[in-house]
């Protein structure tokens, strides 16, 4: 079993980005600038945004964090988005999800200009990605593809089973794995909560990508010997032995499943770190105007 080391690979990706930023700086070019909007004080969101801001520092980007009260209205948030859309100094920005219940996430996602949508959630970017056209690919699926690439994992002709069909992870992941590009070309099955006899599908997977948000849901009997297992899940589980009072668990029971795998991602230390590195990559692409001229 080989561990797909998100820490190592994300550090490599970030080092590659830093070289490009250093070159931009040396040639007097514009330093990439990522902005993040955080509405409210959700603990997990604070952690995610914090790691995004820290990553900007690591790679040499400029970053701006805009904090807004949980009571912020949709109109107030829309005004901030409009400001960021029009700010020529900001190359890309994200609005950290989830948003408070009174704000319509779909409306917010669609208000971000596609050329600044470095999270890759806007319908234009999703559509372009689906058609195999240049686009910002949402950071988690993009990070997983980069991981497969860095470990040179053979995917062509393999059966990839994705569990979870959310717009930000499962569905784009299933589309990417079915594309004709390198590190895809899979036969793909997309499973969800209405799938009957889920284990009968997961057991057929050469590559199993799990994004359902239930701690340690996938057990050894659900996995084929030699499978590549990518665990996207991040769930906080109460743990009195930890200073924080909780432990982070993936969707896969790592202890049970790891011995059966050819490759597996740990949680933490796997996909999550790649997600942040991919956001940095999308921001660099935006600053260099690679996707949208
Ligand atoms: P969502 O809640 O949006 O989607 C979960 C999906 O899992 C849904 O499609 C749902 O089916 C499906 N599902 C739920 N229960 C079952 C079940 N028993 N059997 C089969 N399918 C099931 O979650 P996200 O996609 O946003 O996130 C999934 C997990 O990944 C979470 O733990 C999240 O924290 C984590 N995550 C991690 C990231 C990272 O960087 N590592 C980034 C983003 C998310 P249905 O559609 O029918 O409801």
């Amino acid at each position: 079993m080989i561990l797909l080391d998100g820490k190592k690979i994300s550090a490599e990706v970030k080092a590659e980005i830093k070289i490009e930023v250093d070159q931009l700086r040396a040639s007097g070019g514009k330093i990439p600038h990522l902005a993040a909007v955080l509405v409210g004080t959700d603990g997990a969101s604070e952690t995610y945004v914090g790691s995004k801001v820290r990553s900007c520092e690591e790679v040499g980007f400029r970053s701006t964090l805009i904090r807004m009260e949980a009571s912020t209205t949709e109109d107030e948030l829309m005004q901030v988005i409009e400001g960021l859309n029009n700010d020529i100094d900001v190359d890309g920005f994200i609005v950290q999800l989830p948003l408070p219940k009174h704000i319509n996430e779909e409306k917010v996602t669609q208000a971000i200009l596609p050329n600044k949508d470095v999270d890759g959630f806007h319908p234009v970017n999703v559509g372009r990605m689906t058609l195999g056209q240049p686009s910002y690919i949402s950071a988690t699926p993009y990070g997983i593809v980069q991981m497969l690439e860095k470990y040179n994992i053979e995917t062509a002709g393999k059966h990839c089973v994705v569990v979870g069909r959310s717009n930000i992870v499962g569905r784009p992941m299933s589309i990417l794995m079915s594309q004709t590009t390198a590190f895809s070309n899979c036969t793909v099955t997309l499973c969800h909560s209405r799938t009957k006899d889920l284990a009968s599908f997961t057991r057929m997977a050469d590559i199993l990508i799990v994004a359902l948000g239930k701690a340690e849901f996938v057990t050894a009997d659900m996995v084929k010997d030699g499978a590549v297992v990518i665990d996207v899940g991040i769930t906080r589980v109460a743990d009195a032995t930890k200073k924080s009072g909780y432990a982070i668990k993936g969707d896969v029971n790592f202890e049970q499943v790891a011995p059966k795998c050819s490759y597996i991602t740990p949680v933490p230390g796997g996909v999550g770190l790649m997600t942040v590195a991919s956001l940095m990559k999308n921001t660099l692409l935006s600053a260099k105007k690679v996707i949208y001229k």
Side-chain angles (χ1 to χ4, degrees), residues 3 14 22 48 65 78 92 95 97-98 118 147 153 212 224 252 274 277:
L3 204 63
K14 286 196 268 188
D22 289 345
Y48 297 145
L65 173 58
M78 287 297 187
V95 177
L97 302 180
V118 285
M147 213 170 204
I153 292 174
L212 60 91
K224 178 163 99 172
V252 175
M274 291 306 296

Side-chain angles (χ1 to χ4, degrees), residues 2-22:
I2 297 172
L3 204 63
L4 295 169
D5 187 345
K7 201 168 171 186
K8 177 167 163 266
I9 302 300
S10 65
E12 277 177 32
V13 172
K14 286 196 268 188
E16 289 160 12
I17 295 171
K18 185 165 188 312
I19 290 170
E20 291 210 41
V21 176
D22 289 345

